[in-house]
């Protein structure tokens, strides 16, 4: 009984505090901030696409490995891991704006003691990353005094996606839905679905995603290999996986070979792309899709 | 062997076979039921993709479940017998963490186009870890207590390395997370063909060895005198057990629970003879894993998630074990038994205490002053740095002290050297509460993090209290309840990590115990709590000395055992909850600080408590500092470095 009481009172105090926490928004800036520290790769990418170079970013080597483009200009300091950026180094860099995402929410108080901090999530429960990236671009444009650049970037991206979609539909008037697969190990696959940048991008291009299952936070579902049998009519697009040898083995396995998409040669391999990125990532991805689908007879 | 036992067993067997047949009918792909299996078996048609899927994924999966359950349960049974500890698991001697290190190294180091099944690097890793455990324990003649301790230290040590690698290379390692949760998914008969020959021989060997082995129950001394080479028998059997475990773990990943619980149920049924115990454990284990796997499949289909069987086994098995525990009175023989009389040596308490205090003071000051910035090392401190560093140092210090105290209390209360505050499941409760918050999409701030963590920990404490009441908080019961609870809660976390639901590295950081988020308020709260509860614990040192005599003797000298246990459980819960909510679970300190105190020859309760407390604080402050400066600007959680540094020191002590 005693415990029940303690638990309940704690729960209520927790809920009361939770209501305050959602007010984490952008503070007003009279002059555009000059020294920005960006923790997430998606915000770093967006900053660079607006022509702004941050003074510090987290996990620089990881960005070079996975995001690759836009290339990082010289002179950005690495402030450590994305889930625990180095506070001592951040305060030494004397930033006037820190950009974080939800995962650093518990550190919000500590960070905002160093500099004004904005929390923004490209990946959230609304599951609309492309729209979220556009909002992020507009918001950063406003804060940084680059509203026009931001609006142009968004318009350019939308036109490009539409045009690319038209190209593909011109080449394949009755194209089957697309299924984006990442091979994790010899019996597990990730399907990209609602909430992933890929899903939003192909929708903007007017194409259909084959996978409608429930997805996780990042917009993919983990499924066992037998699941592909239910989607044999789809066009399969393989995202890059970590181990090439294992992927090859799976592609040669009797199960994969028996599937309709293998026999009809509807399996494509995408070059490395960063599928959790911003507008530039969406642009590059749609160009690659056009390359793959219009090269075929 | 009496009648009720036979009845229970045959009834249980019939019931589970019936359940399995029913579940198979229900889980065959494409709702094909038994008729599809029949077609596949007797009229296999490769052009029918449904039969192809049944033949290549469904049937091998059933076979794998049976084989792995059988082998793990046998391995667990023999392991518990040799180590004389009812909570020992097949992976107690470092196999799982070694295999994981092998997997990680295989992904990161092997060139991408080398076609090596991940089985091989995992097996090499497991073998390496086990050899290390043997090498360390060999110095002390492979006594159970030394095997267990070195196994756990090696597991923690290698586990810390694994977690660090995972934090840095998270994006490369999604296959390792899936493996870590134990998936039985198959895409051909390749795994079955690999496992069968590798497992048959050692298991046959175990059955051949059971006669000389069962003589070990007399104790090492007596067995030696009736002409059995105890050391050789132990070495051979353990090698076989570890081989079996390593093969299974390397192939399908970490499947806990079956190996601990199947032998436990066997003993609960009253099976006494070792050979029968081994065989019946195996049968129960394979049925358990198959049932769990068949139950997992429809749940996975309904939720649309990939649910790893290994983790699901623990999740489904935990309530079952709790129910069993609540029904049956656990035989008292299930206590961990130490057969070698510890070699007591006196060492002056006060000088040691003083030296540790001075060391703690100096180290804390150094951690405050010496740091790194973008230019390299610097010795200077300004107001700004003080604000950033002092809360972390204080947090590390108090959490170390608090968990060391809690660990000493748990080990004294349960009389089991493998016990740590985590074993009771309290910190898993805190972790789970935070994971659930993250799953619900709440972005929580620091205050809520602490509040929800506390809530989770308190709920688990409530459950332990409620379940323990019936058995007057008997130690064996308490430990098994805790194991069931924490296995169930851990399973949820492993499922979350393998499905990529949450941001894995954030979760891992918190689970490893980090001082990154500690503020002044937290440190003050933690500090005052730890001071009060630790002082209480030290004041109660007489109780702790007396309960070690066993319930009967303790009661006869006028101790109210029930009251003592109640008070101690509350103290442990309070300390663990406080530290876990502020810093996260610190497995190493709670487990090994008490042993480190003992190895410094502080054996009475008061001396052990004080020494462990100071040692815990010292190790944590050093670990926190090293974590901040060694890979600057990257930082590693203090909990991980305490496992590395403390583990290295402890291994040195054991090998010395």
């Amino acid at each position: 009984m005693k415990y029940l009481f303690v638990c309940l009172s704690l729960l209520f105090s927790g809920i009361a505090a939770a209501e305050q926490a959602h007010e984490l928004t952008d503070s007003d800036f009279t002059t555009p901030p000059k020294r920005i520290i960006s923790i997430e790769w998606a915000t770093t990418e967006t900053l660079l696409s607006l022509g702004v170079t941050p003074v510090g970013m987290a996990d620089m080597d990881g960005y070079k490995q996975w995001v690759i483009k836009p290339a990082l200009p010289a002179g950005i300091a690495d402030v450590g891991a994305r889930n625990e950026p180095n506070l001592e180094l951040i305060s030494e860099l004397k930033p006037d704006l820190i950009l974080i995402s939800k995962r650093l929410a518990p550190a919000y108080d500590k960070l905002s003691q160093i500099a004004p901090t904005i929390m923004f999530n490209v990946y959230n429960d609304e599951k609309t990353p492309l729209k979220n990236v556009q909002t992020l671009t507009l918001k950063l444009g406003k804060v940084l005094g680059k509203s026009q650049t931001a609006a142009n970037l968004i318009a350019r991206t939308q036109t490009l996606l539409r045009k690319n979609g038209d190209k593909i539909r011109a080449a394949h008037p009755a194209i089957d839905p697309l299924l984006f697969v990442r091979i994790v190990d010899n019996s597990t696959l990730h399907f990209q679905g609602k909430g992933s940048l890929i899903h939003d991008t192909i929708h903007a291009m007017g194409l259909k995603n084959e996978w409608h299952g429930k997805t996780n936070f990042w917009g993919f579902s983990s499924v066992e290999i037998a699941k592909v049998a239910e989607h044999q009519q789809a066009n399969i697009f393989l995202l890059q996986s970590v181990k090439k040898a294992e992927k090859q083995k799976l592609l040669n396995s009797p199960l994969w070979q028996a599937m309709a998409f293998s026999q009809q040669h509807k399996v494509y391999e995408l070059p490395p792309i960063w599928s959790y990125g911003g507008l530039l990532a969406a642009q590059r991805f749609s160009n690659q899709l056009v390359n793959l689908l219009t090269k075929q007879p | 062997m009496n009648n009720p036992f036979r009845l229970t067993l045959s009834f249980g067997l019939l019931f589970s076979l019936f359940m399995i047949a029913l579940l198979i009918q229900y889980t065959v792909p494409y709702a094909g039921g038994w008729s599809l299996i029949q077609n596949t078996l007797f009229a296999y048609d490769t052009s029918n993709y449904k039969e192809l899927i049944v033949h290549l994924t469904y049937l091998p999966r059933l076979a794998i479940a049976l084989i792995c359950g059988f082998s793990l349960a046998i391995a667990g049974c023999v392991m518990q017998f040799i180590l004389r500890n009812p909570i020992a698991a097949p992976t107690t001697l470092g196999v799982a963490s070694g295999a994981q290190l092998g997997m990680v190294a295989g992904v990161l180091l092997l060139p991408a186009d080398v076609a090596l099944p991940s089985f091989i690097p995992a097996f090499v890793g497991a073998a390496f870890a086990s050899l290390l455990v043997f090498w360390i324990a060999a110095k002390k003649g492979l006594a159970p207590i030394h095997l267990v301790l070195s196994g756990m230290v090696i597991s923690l040590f290698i586990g810390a390395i694994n977690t660090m690698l995972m934090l840095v290379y998270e994006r490369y390692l999604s296959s390792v997370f899936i493996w870590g949760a134990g998936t039985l998914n198959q895409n051909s008969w390749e795994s079955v063909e690999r496992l069968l020959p590798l497992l048959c021989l050692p298991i046959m060997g175990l059955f051949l060895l059971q006669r000389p082995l069962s003589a070990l129950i007399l104790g090492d001394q007596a067995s030696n005198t009736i002409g059995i080479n105890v050391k050789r028998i132990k070495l051979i059997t353990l090698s076989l057990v570890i081989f079996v475990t390593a093969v299974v773990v390397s192939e399908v990943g970490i499947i806990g629970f079956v190996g601990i619980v199947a032998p436990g149920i066997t003993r609960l049924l009253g099976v006494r003879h070792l050979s029968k115990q081994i065989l019946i454990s195996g049968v129960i284990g394979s049925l358990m894993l198959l049932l769990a796997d068949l139950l997992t499949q429809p749940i996975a289909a309904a939720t649309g998630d990939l649910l790893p069987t290994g983790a699901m086994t623990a999740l489904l098995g935990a309530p079952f074990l709790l129910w069993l525990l609540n029904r049956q009175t656990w035989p008292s023989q299930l206590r961990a038994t130490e057969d070698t009389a510890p070699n007591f040596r006196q060492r002056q308490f006060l000088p040691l205490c003083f030296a540790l205090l001075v060391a703690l003071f100096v180290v804390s000051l150094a951690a405050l002053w010496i740091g790194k910035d973008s230019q390299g090392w610097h010795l200077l401190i300004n107001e700004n740095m003080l604000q950033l560093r002092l809360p972390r140092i204080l947090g590390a210090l108090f959490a170390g002290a608090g968990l060391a105290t809690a660990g000493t209390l748990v080990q004294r209360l349960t009389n089991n050297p493998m016990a740590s505050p985590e074993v009771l499941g309290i910190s898993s409760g805190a972790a789970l509460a935070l994971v659930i918050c993250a799953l619900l999409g709440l972005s929580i701030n620091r205050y809520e993090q602490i509040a929800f963590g506390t809530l989770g920990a308190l709920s688990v404490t409530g459950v332990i209290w409620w379940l323990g009441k019936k058995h007057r908080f008997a130690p064996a019961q308490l430990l098994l309840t805790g194991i069931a609870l924490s296995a169930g809660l851990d399973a949820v976390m492993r499922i979350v990590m393998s499905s990529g639901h949450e941001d894995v590295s954030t979760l891992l950081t918190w689970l490893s115990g980090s001082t990154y988020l500690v503020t002044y308020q937290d440190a003050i709260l933690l500090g005052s709590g730890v001071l009060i509860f630790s002082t209480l614990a030290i004041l109660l040192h007489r109780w702790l000395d007396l309960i070690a005599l066993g319930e009967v003797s303790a009661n006869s000298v006028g101790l109210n055992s029930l009251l003592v246990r109640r008070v101690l459980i509350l103290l442990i819960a309070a300390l663990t909850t406080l530290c876990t909510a502020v810093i996260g679970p610190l497995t190493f300190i709670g487990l090994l600080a008490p042993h480190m105190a003992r190895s410094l020859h502080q054996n009475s309760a008061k001396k052990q408590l004080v020494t462990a407390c100071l040692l815990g604080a010292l190790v944590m402050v050093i670990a926190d500092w090293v974590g901040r400066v060694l890979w600057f600007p990257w930082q590693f959680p203090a909990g991980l470095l305490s496992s590395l540094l403390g583990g290295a020191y402890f291994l040195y002590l054991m090998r010395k």
Side-chain angles (χ1 to χ4, degrees):
Chain A
M1 208 50 227
K2 187 167 53 181
Y3 281 103
L4 198 66
F5 178 70
V6 176
C7 295
L8 280 179
S9 56
L10 267 168
L11 183 66
F12 284 126
S13 57
I15 290 169
E19 276 163 16
Q20 297 163 10
H22 292 292
E23 292 166 25
L24 315 173
T25 47
D26 55 329
S27 352
D28 286 322
F29 292 90
T30 42
T31 53
K34 288 272 177 289
R35 301 181 62 82
I36 306 166
I37 290 181
S38 155
I39 305 299
E40 292 297 320
W41 294 339
T43 46
T44 309
E45 188 192 325
T46 309
L47 281 177
L48 292 173
S49 69
L50 291 173
V52 177
T53 309
V55 290
M57 65 174 290
D59 198 356
M60 206 144 118
D61 294 333
Y63 182 98
K64 289 175 186 161
Q65 283 272 330
W66 292 91
V67 189
I68 307 165
K69 281 179 190 168
L72 295 174
I76 305 180
D78 189 346
V79 296
R82 281 172 301 156
N83 55 340
E84 279 198 354
N86 195 314
L87 294 177
E88 294 179 20
L89 191 58
I90 289 180
S91 86
E92 191 195 319
L93 287 170
K94 301 213 179 339
D96 46 15
L97 175 64
I98 303 173
L99 300 169
I100 62 169
S101 74
K102 191 179 93 175
R103 70 166 119 192
L104 274 178
Y108 180 83
D109 289 339
K110 284 206 163 194
L111 285 165
S112 52
Q113 274 169 14
I114 299 174
T117 304
I118 300 182
M119 187 161 92
F120 195 91
N121 297 308
V122 173
Y123 289 86
N124 59 19
D125 292 333
E126 288 161 32
K127 302 224 164 197
T128 50
L130 189 60
K131 201 179 120 218
N132 296 351
V133 170
Q134 291 176 0
T135 320
L136 170 70
T137 312
L138 282 177
K139 200 176 208 172
L140 283 181
K142 203 172 124 210
V143 172
L144 300 171
K146 298 222 172 194
S147 294
Q148 196 52 46
T149 324
N152 287 347
L153 178 64
I154 291 170
R156 222 171 35 241
T157 311
Q158 281 168 345
T159 331
L160 181 80
L161 294 187
R162 231 185 357 260
K163 270 191 190 157
N164 280 342
D166 292 341
K167 275 186 204 164
I168 291 175
R169 272 194 307 277
H172 303 266
I175 187 165
D176 285 316
L178 320 180
L179 182 62
F180 292 87
V181 181
R182 194 190 298 277
I183 296 171
V184 183
D185 62 22
N186 59 15
S187 55
T188 318
L189 306 173
H190 285 169
F191 287 173
Q192 303 282 327
K194 189 169 168 50
S196 64
L197 190 70
I198 287 179
H199 177 88
D200 282 10
T201 309
I202 63 169
H203 266 250
M205 292 168 72
L207 301 169
K208 280 203 189 67
N209 191 352
E210 167 77 13
W211 180 243
H212 297 292
K214 207 182 81 183
T215 55
N216 65 14
F217 183 76
W218 299 106
F220 64 80
S221 324
S222 306
V223 296
E224 59 173 315
I225 182 110
K227 206 89 179 173
V228 288
E230 296 164 25
H231 304 280
Q232 294 189 50
Q233 292 314 315
N235 288 295
I236 304 287
F237 288 84
L238 295 174
L239 299 165
Q240 288 291 307
S241 43
V242 174
K243 289 173 122 182
K244 291 198 183 67
E246 207 154 90
K247 181 184 77 185
Q248 218 47 52
K249 201 172 145 205
L250 189 123
L251 296 187
N252 292 330
S253 69
L255 195 151
W256 188 271
Q257 285 300 326
M259 297 290 119
F261 47 72
S262 298
Q263 283 163 7
Q264 298 165 15
H265 304 290
K266 279 160 55 178
V267 181
Y268 306 88
E269 274 196 54
L270 281 165
I273 53 152
W274 176 238
S275 43
Y276 304 100
L279 290 176
L280 294 183
Q283 288 187 11
R284 276 195 294 144
F285 165 67
S286 91
N287 286 337
Q288 282 159 352
L289 219 50
V290 171
N291 282 345
L292 281 175
L293 281 169
T294 51
K295 256 193 303 187
Q296 306 284 327
Chain B
M1 291 287 262
N2 45 8
N3 255 348
F5 153 67
R6 276 210 183 138
L7 213 66
T8 330
L9 187 67
S10 42
F11 176 73
L13 208 64
L14 269 178
F15 180 71
S16 34
L17 285 178
F18 175 70
M19 281 292 289
I20 287 170
L22 208 69
L23 281 167
I24 286 180
Q25 167 74 19
Y26 184 62
T27 53
V28 171
Y30 315 109
W34 278 96
S35 63
L36 184 57
I37 292 189
Q38 228 166 28
N39 285 342
T40 313
L41 286 179
F42 301 115
Y44 184 43
D45 171 15
T46 41
S47 63
N48 180 346
Y49 79 90
K50 290 186 177 177
E51 288 181 20
L52 197 75
I53 292 284
V54 170
H55 176 66
L56 289 177
T57 65
Y58 188 75
L59 293 179
R61 184 170 174 166
L62 297 187
I64 282 279
L66 281 174
I67 297 171
C68 294
F70 190 78
S71 320
L72 284 175
I74 284 184
C77 182
V78 178
M79 193 68 102
Q80 292 182 354
F81 181 81
I82 296 182
L83 298 183
R84 300 185 189 185
N85 198 317
I87 63 172
T91 50
T92 298
L93 299 189
V95 177
S97 56
Q100 192 164 32
L101 184 64
M103 286 283 288
V104 172
V107 174
L108 295 180
L109 298 181
L110 285 178
D113 41 2
V114 174
L116 198 66
S118 54
F119 175 83
I120 294 171
F123 188 80
V124 171
F128 165 74
S130 318
L131 283 180
L132 214 57
V133 171
F134 278 137
W135 178 70
I136 288 159
K139 185 94 177 179
K140 306 270 161 80
L142 298 179
I145 173 78
H146 293 290
L147 274 171
V148 167
L149 275 180
S150 48
M152 286 194 307
V153 179
I154 290 283
S155 294
L156 280 173
F157 190 79
I158 296 181
I161 297 176
N162 289 341
T163 313
M164 284 183 175
L165 289 170
M166 285 176 184
L167 283 174
V168 179
Y169 297 105
E170 179 203 342
R171 296 197 176 271
Y172 293 92
L173 297 175
S174 42
S175 59
V176 178
F177 288 113
I178 290 180
W179 173 88
T183 48
L184 300 182
N185 294 337
Q186 301 296 317
N187 72 351
S188 65
W189 285 91
E190 195 190 318
S191 297
V192 177
E193 281 161 11
R194 185 158 48 212
L195 284 188
L196 268 183
L198 282 177
L199 290 175
C200 274
L201 282 177
I203 288 180
M204 267 158 35
L206 281 179
F207 278 110
L208 288 178
L209 277 172
Q210 58 85 17
R211 256 188 85 82
L213 195 61
S214 52
L216 288 187
I217 203 156
L218 302 171
D220 290 5
Q221 299 261 304
S223 317
N224 266 330
T225 53
I226 56 170
I228 289 168
N229 188 335
V230 173
K231 203 165 165 179
R232 189 187 296 160
I233 287 283
K234 268 189 193 168
L235 202 61
I236 296 173
T237 345
L238 278 179
S239 311
L240 289 176
V241 169
I242 286 174
F243 184 83
V244 168
T245 317
V247 168
V248 173
V249 166
S250 307
E251 188 63 44
V252 299
I254 297 173
I255 296 179
F257 213 71
V258 173
I260 305 183
V261 173
I265 293 178
T266 312
R267 279 192 303 264
L268 203 64
L269 290 169
V271 185
R272 302 239 183 281
H273 205 274
L274 182 65
S275 62
K276 280 188 186 126
Q277 268 188 10
I278 297 179
L279 192 65
I280 292 177
S281 298
V283 173
I284 291 180
S286 56
L287 288 179
M288 264 175 81
L289 194 58
L290 184 61
L291 258 177
D293 190 42
L294 288 172
L295 277 171
T296 305
Q297 293 186 31
I299 299 176
T303 56
D305 277 322
L306 181 86
L307 294 178
T309 310
M312 282 301 284
T313 310
L315 197 61
L316 295 169
F320 175 66
L321 180 65
L322 286 177
W323 172 76
L324 260 187
L325 279 173
N326 217 17
R327 273 188 74 232
Q328 295 267 356
T329 316
W330 210 257
S332 57
Q333 68 178 49
L334 274 179
R335 262 181 42 192
T337 37
E338 246 177 284
D339 47 353
T340 47
N343 195 0
F344 285 118
R345 240 175 49 194
Q346 285 296 323
R347 177 182 253 191
Q348 292 276 305
F349 172 59
L350 283 178
L352 178 73
C353 216
F354 183 70
L356 281 174
L357 262 178
V358 171
L360 185 59
F361 187 69
V362 172
V363 165
S364 306
L365 274 189
L368 200 59
W369 281 79
I370 304 170
K372 252 185 171 180
D373 63 10
S374 50
Q375 315 300 322
W377 292 97
H378 67 102
L379 235 172
L380 144 172
I381 184 133
N382 52 34
E383 179 64 20
N384 195 2
M385 289 293 157
L386 190 77
Q387 290 294 333
L388 290 171
R389 280 183 196 159
L390 191 56
R392 298 187 67 164
I393 295 171
L394 288 177
L397 194 151
F398 289 127
L403 282 172
T405 313
T408 315
L409 291 179
V410 170
Q411 291 182 2
R412 291 231 161 214
L413 175 68
T414 58
N415 214 355
N416 193 320
M418 276 174 80
S420 70
E422 281 72 43
V423 169
L424 294 184
I426 295 172
S427 30
S428 310
L432 189 68
L434 295 183
V435 171
I436 289 174
C437 282
L439 281 183
L440 293 176
L442 297 174
S443 55
I444 52 172
N445 62 27
R446 176 70 179 153
Y447 171 73
E448 289 153 26
Q449 200 182 34
I450 292 185
F452 282 116
T454 312
L455 182 67
L458 284 180
S459 327
V460 172
T461 312
V463 174
I464 292 178
W465 189 265
W466 178 65
L467 289 171
K469 253 198 317 214
K470 186 165 171 187
H471 301 282
R472 298 168 48 85
F473 304 99
Q477 207 86 25
L478 205 63
L479 273 184
L480 283 161
T481 310
I483 284 180
L485 278 175
S486 51
L489 300 173
D490 282 339
V492 178
M493 280 183 283
R494 281 194 288 150
I495 293 172
V496 169
M497 281 209 241
S498 71
S499 72
H501 262 303
E502 223 317 57
D503 177 32
V504 175
S505 61
T506 310
L507 196 60
L508 272 180
T509 310
W510 189 84
L511 286 175
S512 320
S514 164
T515 58
Y516 186 72
L517 295 167
V518 178
T519 59
Y520 274 123
Q521 288 99 305
D522 300 345
I524 291 167
L525 175 79
L526 181 67
S528 43
V530 165
L531 273 182
I532 294 171
F533 294 124
S534 303
T535 318
L536 267 177
I538 292 169
L539 288 178
L540 297 177
H541 69 98
R542 274 186 196 287
W543 284 7
L544 289 171
D545 281 328
L546 285 177
I547 49 163
L549 301 172
E551 186 167 359
V552 180
S553 326
N555 279 347
S556 65
V557 295
L559 194 72
N560 182 347
S561 293
L562 184 61
L563 177 75
V564 170
R565 284 181 194 153
R566 278 190 173 154
V567 172
L568 289 182
I569 289 173
L570 284 185
L571 267 181
I572 293 163
L575 279 167
T576 316
T577 306
L578 256 179
C579 302
T580 314
V582 174
I583 294 216
L586 301 169
T587 320
F588 176 81
I589 296 294
L591 181 65
L592 282 174
H595 290 293
M596 286 162 90
R598 263 188 209 270
S599 63
L600 289 171
H601 311 293
Q602 304 302 329
N603 293 303
S604 78
K606 186 169 84 184
K607 292 178 182 171
Q608 194 193 6
L609 271 170
V610 175
T611 318
C613 204
L614 289 172
L615 277 171
L618 186 65
V619 171
M620 277 303 288
V621 173
I622 298 176
D624 184 50
W625 181 77
V626 173
R628 274 188 289 137
V629 297
L630 199 52
W631 290 276
F632 186 87
W634 285 65
Q635 321 184 44
F636 284 102
L640 290 182
L641 280 157
S642 71
S643 301
L644 278 188
L645 298 173
Y649 171 68
F650 194 76
L651 293 177
Y652 160 77
L653 278 185
M654 285 193 73
R655 188 62 204 176
K656 198 171 71 173

